[in-house]
Amino acid sequence: MAIDVNNPCLFCNLPKNLPIQAENDLAFAVYDGFPVSPAHVLVIPKRHVANYFDLTSDELAAIQDLLVIMKKQVDEKFD
């Protein structure tokens, strides 16, 4: 993966072939490449923001929807 030195955000420079586990219009979920637990999932907004508190209410709802989906998937895969 090549890092864009003009945009050092790790989430904006994810590999194009990263297996997306769940997605909606505003966010997507992937398993972490360097997990701290077997079910370590990242839910990432599609719009670049400086931090969680800069997300819109629609983006927060979209992330919450993916959290619910991924919780079910993680429970099925890792329990």
Side-chain angles (χ1 to χ4, degrees):
M1 167 175 81
I3 299 294
D4 179 354
V5 295
N6 295 314
N7 182 6
C9 176
L10 294 175
F11 301 116
C12 290
N13 291 298
L14 291 171
K16 299 298 182 208
N17 62 347
L18 190 67
I20 294 175
Q21 301 299 312
E23 182 175 19
N24 57 35
D25 290 341
L26 300 176
F28 63 97
V30 296
Y31 285 105
D32 194 306
F34 301 95
V36 296
S37 68
H40 190 165
V41 173
L42 300 174
V43 179
I44 303 167
K46 291 183 178 180
R47 182 176 67 93
H48 177 83
V49 292
N51 62 60
Y52 177 85
F53 301 102
D54 290 340
L55 294 167
T56 67
S57 57
D58 288 341
E59 289 168 325
L60 291 169
I63 288 170
Q64 179 62 32
D65 291 344
L66 291 178
L67 286 171
V68 171
I69 291 167
M70 291 309 299
K71 169 70 167 103
K72 182 178 179 187
Q73 187 181 115
V74 162
D75 286 347
E76 291 171 359
K77 186 172 182 173
F78 294 100
D79 275 353

